[in-house]
Amino acid sequence: MRSESTPLIELRQVSKTFGKAADSSVQRLLQRLHVTRPRPVTHAVDKVDLRIQRGEVVGLVGESGCGKSTLGRMVAGLLPVSSGTALVDGQPRDSLTPEERHAMRLKVQMIFQDPSSSLNPRLRVDRIVGEGALLHGLTDKHGFDDYVSAQLQRAGLSPQLRQRYPHQFSGGQRQRIGIARALAVQPELLVCDESVAALDVSIQAQILNLFMDLRDELGLTYLFISHDLGVVEHLCDRVVVMYLGRVVESASVDDLFARANHPYTQALLAQIPRFDVRSTRYDAIQGEIPSPLNPPAGCHFHPRCPHATARCREEVPALREVSPNHLSACHLNDLS
Amino acid sequence: MNAASKPVPSHVGLQAQSPWRRVVLEFISSPTAVVGLLVLVLIMLVAVLAPWIVVQNPYDLMQLNVLDARLAPGSANMDSGYTYWLGTDGQGRDLVSAILYGLRISLWVGIGSALIAAVIGTLVGLVSAYVGGWLDALLMRLVDLLLSFPVILMALMILAWLGKGVGNVMLTLILLEWAYYARTARGQALTESRREYVDAARGQGIGPWRIVVGHILPNCLPPLIVIGALQIARAITLEATLSFLGLGVPVTEPSLGLLIANGFQYMLSNEYWISLFPGLALLITIVAINLVGDRLRDVLNPRLLR
Amino acid sequence: MIGWTLRRLTQSFLVVLLMTLVVFVGLNAIGNPMDILVGEDLNQAERLQAIAHLGLDKPLWEQYLIFLKGAVHGNLGQSFVYHEDAMRLILQRLPATFELAFCALFLAVVIGVPLGMFAGTYPDHPLSRMMMAASIVGFSLPAFWVALMMIMLFSIKLGWLPASGRGETRELFGVQWSWLTLDGLQHLLLPALNLALFKISLVLRLTRAGVREVLPQEFVKFARAKGLSPMRVMCMHVMRNTMIPVVTVLAMELGSTIAYAVVTESIFSWPGAGKLILDSINMLDRPVVVAYLMVVVVIFVVLNLIVDGLYYLLDPRVRVEGSR
Amino acid sequence: MSLPERNAAAMSTQAPTQTPTLEVRNLCTSFYTRAGVLPAVRDVSLRVAPGRILGLVGESGSGKSVTGFSILGLVDAPGRISGGQVLFKGRDLTQLSAAGLRELQGNRIAMIFQDPMMTLNPVLRVDTQMIEAVRAHRTVSKREARAHAGRTLALMGIPSPEERLRAYPHQLSGGMRQRVAIAIALLHAPDLIIADEPTTALDVTIQAQILSEVQKLVREQGTSLIWITHDLSVVAGLADDVAVMYAGRIVEQGSVADVLDRPQHPYTQGLIDSLPSRNKRGQRLRQIPGMAPDLLSMPTGCAFAARCSRATSVCAQEPPEREIAPGQTVRCFHPGAADAQ
């Protein structure tokens, strides 16, 4: 029913806004009566297109407030989309029957950033890892211990630790428990939201190696969200760069790091501290990251862009192909 | 990321150490808390066993001998020869038995109302946090209203309408105290539901109610337990105060508050013991509860409440 | 700023309106409003005349409007016992209660805050440990029992202070105050101290917890790294942040001090509104109870406004909207 | 009152033979907690010459921040400096009285902290917090202090300083707040600045802005800078010298070129190998096995032995700090550059 080319995940013109304006008349009345305060509306994600093929590792990079975490949660089905459609295996998420949606939910699992808050401190590790699998019949009462032990083993933890509680583990070990939990429900796609950001360099390397082993062993697909371009460069096949809710560039890793097209990507790549570049002269781009509460008109990057033109200030640049499967959203491409 | 200036605490626990066991170990490490707990357990035992260990049933008017009224501590009973260790009150009640029976009422009212209020309040708090929207706003406005008025005033008003009696006192306490639990339960449930382990559970297709009860509630318990301890102490004090004002228990079955009130008139003729000893019993009970509550607050959630 | 005050005012007005509804429903739901507002000892003719006057024969919502109109003008019926207008009776007695409450709160702040600061800054100091133990006992002392013990010790045994009554008062701004005269002060001391005891330990523990929470924060370390004097670090940085929760709770505690005055006033027979309300409850003088409830509602709504106002003024994060 | 000019001689090109701004000798700082004594800093020695930048690198729990606090005398109970000397331009800070130390804090030695959200007091305006910093060491009028604050903010490249002065901290972005904190540190043109991970919580583009401003100021004013971080790449680009810390000790120290290109200590080598950019794309990273030791139960001898591929029986004793090459010291029995990959 789904041909090989159907992407595992596809987002079409997906947007997400938080704090909807007072739509019901009662709320408007209350606000006019000065009883409640109007809530500001933030446009976290703005009409994003994204396709993730099976077995691919897609990197999603951008600075704080660019909406990459929100996008990740929409892909994982934890956040409903405000507009646009999200398709899993070619089927729109919201048009599924409850049972289908239930099964669909297990296909995409999320690995979180903060090892201390992604595990329930009051539950034993074996229940944390195995509860989902048990509920969905992937294992049963008496097979439970072996199943959980196998998951922990695969994530690099010794099974005798499964009786313990999260506070008895280090940051790196807790991240492994999160991975074991995700894999226990046999997903096809792992959304990793800054999964190694909170770890030290040496522990980070161990977890990245684990991700790579799992990819080879289980043929997993990854959406790897990170602000650390070094990690993304090493791990991903394709990179999508976001700025203030919009995709500004998307290309294969080699293409992006060698021939970055969008001024923002170029600035990002220029300013990452490089290990082999000594006593660098930092020429930073000026200006603050605008607040998502009132994003600038036209291209969001124009206030900080060295090549900004009048057109950039009014017209939102479309995400177009500038070279074979290398997309970029910048008016400068129209001139060349 | 760099941890705080102090290095990461030792994480290589030997055997499975559940968070609740860790709480117990830390609780025991403070001597004053242990003393408080022992005194509290002793008082509860004594209160429960009162009818069997006491020389006289203070609430059975037949056994009271008016001639023995207002006897100083240590004086003997007229006929059966047992001594009134702490003296007798205005109606000839042996103060020791009266205090023990009074403790029964105080503990029953205090703990009973706190527990029932806790259940109601937590339920309301969780539902309000989970449903959200206008129901949440409505409930929380009601809670804020209830909490902005001092309990004793509301109690006075309600008792003025409902009339006296232990049942009414308990009803009043429950009516007023559930709001504390509701506000804390809601606040805690909201903070916990924003943490990543709840998203993880949702992602694993675990049902909403199973998440609320199985995942969020256990993490909401610590602050509720701390409030519970404080509320029991306040409830006991309030019951004693209302009885002192003559609005609580009936005259024939005096609780500690009424005993103290009855003793007030005899103080001028230097018969201090009638008010002194019930007051001391009340004080020791409340101090014990507060010691335990204080330690629980430090152990369970250092930053909560004052 | 204006938006905020307007919002708070409308909310407070709604609360008062709601309370009048609750009181009115309370009146009608429990017992016959007739005997509440009119009293039983009138003969038939006077009863009919009173019913007509109070409009008890009209439909319920119209009665509510009359009740509301009456409440606004302050006449909520005559007190059976004193045969005076209930509202005026209460307003006469309020200053005595306020005096007691403010005096108690003043003691609580003057003693509680400095000790709390000390206990918070030097937690392992023996004095701090002793203060914390004392504050737990202070926190647990039943106010009424302490009052009795104080009377026994200071009045009966030592005879230093009078056991009851208010003593001389002198007028200031049209209101009788007793702290202006020595005799008045002597009378005021015991009840105020009794009322203040609980609050002192409360403020002490609150301030200590606040200091304990603020001290390890980075901006305190940064202040020290700037080379500021310890006094400056304590006052400008630690205290400013600690005082926000303390002050807001204190304003709330003023409310509960007024409420607990009921007990203290009845023991020390201090002629305040608290003693009046207790006697009225015992003597089933319902109009006074209703009037007292209305006055208390207004007081607490105003107090809540003050609390929010204080919080708004003290914490700029609330006051100045908008981030970057 | 303009900023006192620095004499040109103190420029960074000066060879480090000149008396160092700061010299730390065998510093020990421990935390005496109920659970036992935590030796956070064990026998640390380092020096910083005027106008030079020393990168202090280490992972969580390595003691790098505690070292910074110890230098400035900001270690709070239950922590205490239990040994060693901190010589600032020849004077031993550990012997100074609290008042003596306070004269230097914020004046001659300044510190910048990591979390921009909590470094500034949330309830005080920016100008209040800057004026108090100026008047702590200069008896000047408030107006003058405010003017000096404005000039320092402008120096840090902050647009419309007047408006920033009137603002409250929560109205500023993370990057802006960190610039204000740096400006406060520069109010008295200090001889030494200790920066504890100031850009870790910031985005790449904002971090780049801060790094460029700090680098410019240090070069122009000849201030010595200790930059504490866990990010090797930042140190590589910014610092002149680097010291790598592990479990409370400096395991290797020297110029950036020596230490990062020819690392002698296996831990330094392991850290560098763990960097994704130092590995072939898509290949497994060369990782350091195991975890850092728990400071409560510190192993005897070399703390890294348990995770070290070169460990032998001799590592059971404490390796001394030896000079392996001019200006490069290492604390290991088997130093040596691993076969470059």
Side-chain angles (χ1 to χ4, degrees):
Chain A
M1 174 264 297
R2 49 180 167 75
S3 70
E4 211 32 59
S5 74
T6 333
L8 180 55
I9 291 283
E10 186 174 3
L11 302 180
R12 291 194 191 128
Q13 289 295 308
V14 160
S15 297
K16 182 67 189 177
T17 53
F18 289 107
K20 54 185 176 1
D23 39 24
S24 80
S25 53
V26 173
Q27 274 167 338
R28 263 200 305 282
L29 173 69
L30 284 178
Q31 267 163 21
R32 225 177 292 109
L33 265 171
H34 293 289
V35 178
T36 52
R37 197 190 350 212
R39 281 201 310 273
V41 178
T42 46
H43 305 273
V45 171
D46 187 7
K47 291 198 279 299
V48 160
D49 291 316
L50 180 70
R51 242 196 302 284
I52 304 176
Q53 300 298 347
R54 197 175 301 287
E56 202 183 14
V57 179
V58 175
L60 187 57
V61 292
E63 295 181 301
S64 47
C66 75
K68 54 186 189 296
S69 281
T70 314
L71 197 70
R73 283 168 190 271
M74 284 198 281
V75 166
L78 294 176
L79 260 181
V81 295
S82 300
S83 66
T85 50
L87 300 114
V88 179
D89 262 346
Q91 285 170 311
R93 223 182 241 288
D94 36 34
S95 73
L96 302 171
T97 63
E99 299 77 25
E100 276 172 343
R101 188 179 303 133
H102 210 59
M104 189 68 66
R105 181 174 282 272
L106 299 184
K107 269 205 172 118
V108 183
Q109 285 300 305
M110 199 154 180
I111 312 281
F112 297 90
Q113 166 175 359
D114 178 2
S116 60
S117 98
S118 61
L119 302 180
N120 186 333
R122 300 233 170 269
L123 298 184
R124 281 210 322 238
V125 163
D126 51 6
R127 178 170 169 203
I128 292 175
V129 172
E131 184 176 17
L134 194 65
L135 267 175
H136 295 284
L138 297 170
T139 171
D140 50 25
K141 275 274 177 300
H142 19 74
F144 183 76
D145 274 349
D146 306 335
Y147 188 83
V148 167
S149 301
Q151 302 303 330
L152 289 175
Q153 192 82 39
R154 187 166 51 187
L157 285 169
S158 76
Q160 302 100 359
L161 304 176
R162 66 179 185 284
Q163 306 284 337
R164 293 205 191 150
Y165 286 81
H167 69 274
Q168 294 179 283
F169 293 92
S170 74
Q173 288 172 317
R174 283 194 209 139
Q175 210 60 337
R176 288 174 188 276
I177 296 169
I179 294 168
R181 168 178 58 194
L183 297 182
V185 289
Q186 291 153 15
E188 293 174 35
L189 168 68
L190 277 187
V191 176
C192 309
D193 184 2
E194 298 274 11
S195 305
V196 288
L199 304 175
D200 281 315
V201 175
S202 55
I203 310 292
Q204 203 175 71
Q206 292 172 10
I207 301 294
L208 290 177
N209 283 340
L210 176 60
F211 279 138
M212 285 190 272
D213 296 345
L214 293 173
R215 179 188 179 185
D216 306 339
E217 195 187 320
L218 304 171
L220 281 174
T221 312
Y222 284 88
L223 175 62
F224 198 84
I225 301 172
S226 174
H227 68 281
D228 184 339
L229 281 153
V231 168
V232 166
E233 184 186 18
H234 187 79
L235 201 70
C236 303
D237 308 329
R238 198 154 59 80
V239 181
V240 175
V241 181
M242 282 183 76
Y243 187 79
L244 218 60
R246 289 187 185 141
V247 172
V248 292
E249 189 159 2
S250 157
S252 70
V253 172
D254 304 330
D255 228 1
L256 191 101
F257 279 82
R259 290 171 299 286
N261 172 286
H262 194 281
Y264 175 62
T265 317
Q266 288 158 358
L268 263 186
L269 295 182
Q271 277 150 34
I272 329 161
R274 286 253 169 225
F275 179 77
D276 36 25
V277 175
R278 296 299 150 73
S279 60
T280 39
R281 276 273 166 269
Y282 295 97
D283 49 9
I285 49 170
Q286 289 318 318
E288 290 288 294
I289 304 175
S291 112
L293 290 174
N294 40 42
C299 165
H300 282 165
F301 187 54
H302 81 259
R304 303 174 74 197
C305 178
H307 324 294
T309 64
R311 188 171 172 220
C312 300
R313 276 184 280 281
E314 290 108 21
E315 193 193 325
V316 177
L319 190 61
R320 290 190 302 90
E321 195 158 64
V322 290
S323 63
N325 66 55
H326 182 154
L327 310 171
S328 171
C330 180
H331 293 310
L332 294 180
N333 297 325
D334 300 350
L335 311 179
S336 60
Chain B
M1 272 331 164
N2 170 322
S5 63
K6 274 202 265 307
V8 173
S10 73
H11 47 256
V12 186
L14 300 169
Q15 79 298 359
Q17 195 194 43
S18 84
W20 295 114
R21 245 170 63 70
R22 203 159 59 120
V23 162
V24 167
L25 288 178
E26 218 167 310
F27 182 92
I28 305 293
S29 65
S30 138
T32 47
V34 171
V35 164
L37 190 63
L38 286 182
V39 167
L40 193 56
V41 167
L42 186 69
I43 289 172
M44 283 188 179
L45 260 177
V46 157
V48 169
L49 302 177
W52 292 277
I53 55 174
V54 96
V55 287
Q56 167 205 75
N57 173 353
Y59 296 161
D60 171 4
L61 295 179
M62 298 306 295
Q63 295 183 15
L64 299 189
N65 176 343
V66 176
L67 296 176
D68 283 354
R70 292 154 66 189
L71 292 176
S75 42
N77 170 286
M78 287 294 281
D79 32 44
S80 65
Y82 53 82
T83 49
Y84 297 109
W85 294 110
L86 295 178
T88 60
D89 74 349
Q91 282 91 25
R93 262 186 213 90
D94 163 35
L95 266 183
V96 171
S97 16
I99 287 176
L100 294 189
Y101 272 69
L103 275 177
R104 275 171 82 102
I105 296 177
S106 299
L107 286 175
W108 163 249
V109 167
I111 295 173
S113 66
L115 285 183
I116 299 170
V119 169
I120 299 171
T122 311
L123 263 178
V124 167
L126 284 182
V127 162
S128 168
Y130 192 77
V131 170
W134 60 271
L135 176 70
D136 179 27
L138 184 71
L139 283 176
M140 281 310 125
R141 281 290 75 69
L142 174 63
V143 162
D144 293 342
L145 196 65
L146 275 178
L147 291 184
S148 59
F149 289 121
V151 174
I152 188 160
L153 259 188
M154 304 281 268
L156 283 179
M157 293 301 147
I158 297 174
L159 284 174
W161 252 270
L162 296 179
K164 298 184 192 162
V166 181
N168 285 350
V169 171
M170 265 187 85
L171 184 63
T172 316
L173 287 173
I174 294 169
L175 267 177
L176 297 171
E177 283 178 21
W178 69 271
Y180 283 104
Y181 297 99
R183 181 169 62 173
T184 312
R186 172 188 179 269
Q188 193 66 19
L190 279 182
T191 23
E192 289 299 324
S193 60
R194 272 193 292 271
R195 291 176 59 148
E196 289 170 346
Y197 70 83
V198 172
D199 281 342
R202 278 174 50 225
Q204 301 241 314
I206 297 172
W209 272 109
R210 189 180 166 87
I211 292 179
V212 169
V213 175
H215 289 255
I216 292 182
L217 189 57
N219 288 292
C220 296
L221 289 183
L224 292 173
I225 293 171
V226 170
I227 286 192
L230 289 179
Q231 286 308 99
I232 291 176
R234 280 168 61 123
I236 292 176
T237 317
L238 191 64
E239 182 277 326
T241 313
L242 292 172
S243 305
F244 175 82
L245 297 175
L247 286 165
V249 292
V251 178
T252 54
E253 294 175 4
S255 76
L256 295 175
L258 204 50
L259 280 174
I260 296 170
N262 300 344
F264 182 28
Q265 63 214 356
Y266 302 117
M267 269 219 308
L268 301 174
S269 48
N270 216 331
E271 287 152 353
Y272 60 88
W273 58 86
I274 300 172
S275 290
L276 179 66
F277 293 120
L280 277 180
L282 194 61
L283 176 63
I284 293 165
T285 312
I286 297 170
V287 166
I289 296 175
N290 276 333
L291 276 178
V292 170
D294 225 39
R295 185 63 193 157
L296 279 177
R297 183 174 50 73
D298 291 347
V299 162
L300 284 175
N301 190 339
R303 280 184 328 287
L304 186 91
L305 284 176
R306 45 185 180 276
Chain C
M1 181 59 187
I2 299 112
W4 180 83
T5 15
L6 217 59
R7 209 175 16 262
R8 285 300 295 145
L9 282 177
T10 37
Q11 273 172 357
S12 314
F13 178 72
L14 288 179
V15 166
V16 172
L17 208 62
L18 182 71
M19 280 311 280
T20 53
L21 200 62
V22 166
V23 166
F24 182 76
V25 164
L27 275 180
N28 287 310
I30 303 157
N32 175 331
M34 247 282 291
D35 52 30
I36 289 175
L37 287 182
V38 168
E40 297 83 0
D41 53 9
L42 302 176
N43 58 39
Q44 193 48 25
E46 282 161 344
R47 260 170 122 65
L48 285 174
Q49 193 245 346
I51 288 174
H53 167 62
L54 285 170
L56 293 179
D57 44 13
K58 293 200 179 57
L60 208 57
W61 58 269
E62 212 178 318
Q63 278 184 34
Y64 174 64
L65 289 182
I66 298 165
F67 172 80
L68 209 56
K69 194 160 63 59
V72 168
H73 293 305
N75 60 25
L76 286 158
Q78 297 282 340
S79 149
F80 305 146
V81 174
Y82 298 91
H83 299 300
E84 267 180 64
D85 177 54
M87 184 63 85
R88 205 157 36 73
L89 203 60
I90 289 173
L91 293 184
Q92 250 173 2
R93 302 284 191 98
L94 266 187
T97 302
F98 274 145
E99 181 182 26
L100 205 55
F102 277 108
C103 195
L105 213 60
F106 175 76
L107 285 174
V109 171
V110 162
I111 301 171
V113 171
L115 293 185
M117 298 296 295
F118 179 84
T121 324
Y122 312 101
D124 304 327
H125 193 283
L127 197 60
S128 304
R129 283 209 198 320
M130 209 250 301
M131 265 194 280
M132 282 316 287
S135 81
I136 285 193
V137 174
F139 204 61
S140 320
L141 283 173
F144 62 92
W145 181 67
V146 170
L148 298 194
M149 293 307 133
M150 273 204 236
I151 292 175
M152 193 169 72
L153 184 63
F154 293 111
S155 307
I156 302 170
K157 283 262 180 341
L158 304 173
W160 290 347
L161 292 168
S164 66
R166 187 172 186 197
E168 282 167 46
T169 57
R170 188 169 305 143
E171 213 195 304
L172 184 67
F173 316 121
V175 172
Q176 294 296 332
W177 300 105
S178 49
W179 52 269
L180 292 174
T181 66
L182 179 60
D183 174 49
L185 257 181
Q186 279 177 341
H187 281 83
L188 178 62
L189 189 58
L190 273 188
L193 201 62
N194 170 261
L195 210 52
L197 215 55
F198 179 85
K199 299 292 174 248
I200 291 174
S201 16
L202 187 72
V203 168
L204 191 144
R205 292 161 65 89
L206 198 63
T207 315
R208 178 184 180 278
V211 169
R212 298 296 308 140
E213 199 176 321
V214 168
L215 266 181
Q217 303 223 352
E218 218 166 78
F219 62 82
V220 174
K221 212 161 221 176
F222 186 61
R224 285 164 57 204
K226 286 197 275 194
L228 304 178
S229 71
M231 185 53 65
R232 171 121 193 142
V233 171
M234 186 52 75
C235 298
M236 278 305 280
H237 290 273
V238 177
M239 249 183 110
R240 264 300 294 269
N241 284 57
T242 319
M243 277 307 122
I244 295 174
V246 170
V247 163
T248 39
V249 167
L250 269 183
M252 286 304 292
E253 284 308 315
L254 178 61
S256 86
T257 316
I258 292 172
Y260 272 93
V262 167
V263 180
T264 310
E265 284 175 15
S266 65
I267 298 173
F268 289 95
S269 51
W270 182 267
K275 184 170 183 341
L276 172 69
I277 183 67
L278 200 59
D279 302 342
S280 329
I281 289 178
N282 286 332
M283 289 183 284
L284 289 177
D285 187 353
R286 290 273 168 74
V288 174
V289 173
V290 170
Y292 184 85
L293 193 59
M294 293 310 299
V295 165
V296 157
V297 160
V298 171
I299 293 174
F300 283 107
V301 163
V302 166
L303 267 179
N304 274 333
L305 262 178
I306 294 171
V307 166
D308 285 355
L310 280 173
Y311 203 83
Y312 196 88
L313 289 175
L314 286 172
D315 191 340
R317 283 166 290 195
V318 173
R319 168 158 31 106
V320 182
E321 285 314 308
S323 62
R324 60 187 164 81
Chain D
M1 184 206 69
S2 70
L3 286 180
E5 272 61 36
R6 287 262 145 244
N7 48 50
M11 289 315 295
S12 67
T13 49
Q14 201 68 25
T17 53
Q18 191 207 22
T19 58
T21 312
L22 175 80
E23 183 168 3
V24 174
R25 289 199 191 124
N26 313 96
L27 175 70
C28 294
T29 305
S30 302
F31 285 80
Y32 300 84
T33 64
R34 253 200 339 244
V37 178
L38 287 173
V41 175
R42 301 185 298 154
D43 187 20
V44 160
S45 302
L46 55 88
R47 38 210 321 278
V48 191
R52 288 183 70 83
I53 301 178
L54 167 69
L56 193 55
V57 175
E59 295 187 310
S60 327
S62 60
K64 53 188 188 302
S65 290
V66 176
T67 308
F69 290 138
S70 308
I71 293 170
L72 204 57
L74 285 175
V75 179
D76 291 338
R80 183 156 53 68
I81 296 179
S82 49
Q85 292 172 315
V86 176
L87 302 176
F88 174 69
K89 291 164 84 166
R91 281 164 62 189
D92 184 354
L93 301 187
T94 53
Q95 306 309 326
L96 279 182
S97 69
L101 201 58
R102 218 174 24 253
E103 262 164 44
L104 297 175
Q105 288 168 337
N107 187 6
R108 308 304 340 126
I109 311 177
M111 192 156 184
I112 308 168
F113 292 82
Q114 170 178 354
D115 184 352
M117 290 308 157
M118 282 317 290
T119 310
L120 300 176
N121 188 332
V123 293
L124 297 178
R125 281 175 24 161
V126 169
D127 54 10
T128 327
Q129 301 189 48
M130 291 192 82
I131 290 169
E132 68 177 1
V134 176
R135 285 158 59 90
H137 300 288
R138 292 272 189 294
T139 44
V140 286
S141 74
K142 276 201 169 142
R143 211 178 37 73
E144 229 175 285
R146 196 169 198 284
H148 179 47
R151 277 197 304 277
T152 317
L153 285 178
L155 192 75
M156 280 295 291
I158 293 176
S160 60
E162 195 48 44
E163 190 200 311
R164 302 294 182 215
L165 281 173
R166 276 196 308 276
Y168 282 93
H170 72 279
Q171 292 177 289
L172 307 176
S173 71
M176 189 56 70
R177 249 193 284 241
Q178 201 63 320
R179 277 202 199 77
V180 166
I182 294 170
I184 292 177
L186 297 173
L187 281 174
H188 299 287
D191 301 322
L192 169 68
I193 296 179
I194 302 173
D196 182 6
E197 302 234 26
T199 58
T200 304
L202 301 178
D203 286 301
V204 172
T205 50
I206 306 297
Q207 167 174 277
Q209 289 169 359
I210 303 273
L211 288 174
S212 73
E213 279 140 19
V214 164
Q215 193 179 44
K216 178 156 62 70
L217 285 163
V218 167
R219 293 287 180 263
E220 280 164 10
Q221 299 189 9
T223 320
S224 307
L225 172 63
I226 298 180
W227 189 276
I228 301 173
T229 179
H230 66 282
D231 190 337
L232 273 174
S233 312
V234 167
V235 165
L238 179 73
D240 305 317
D241 309 301
V242 66
V244 180
M245 281 189 79
Y246 183 78
R249 284 198 197 294
I250 291 188
V251 292
E252 185 160 5
Q253 193 172 169
S255 76
V256 164
D258 293 344
V259 173
L260 296 189
D261 291 342
R262 290 171 302 284
Q264 299 294 324
H265 194 283
Y267 177 66
T268 317
Q269 184 65 57
L271 273 186
I272 295 171
D273 292 345
S274 304
L275 289 175
S277 55
R278 301 290 298 164
N279 287 271
K280 248 166 70 45
R281 221 171 62 64
Q283 298 300 327
R284 277 176 62 82
L285 300 163
R286 285 159 294 166
Q287 64 187 39
I288 309 173
M291 283 183 292
D294 168 23
L295 285 173
L296 261 176
S297 50
M298 184 62 74
T300 55
C302 170
F304 186 62
R307 308 171 72 184
C308 178
S309 52
R310 307 182 196 164
T312 59
S313 60
V314 74
C315 298
Q317 293 112 27
E318 192 48 63
E321 194 161 22
R322 283 205 326 248
E323 185 146 13
I324 192 87
Q328 181 175 5
T329 62
V330 73
R331 203 188 270 273
C332 177
F333 290 112
H334 312 288
D339 39 14
Q341 106 279 48

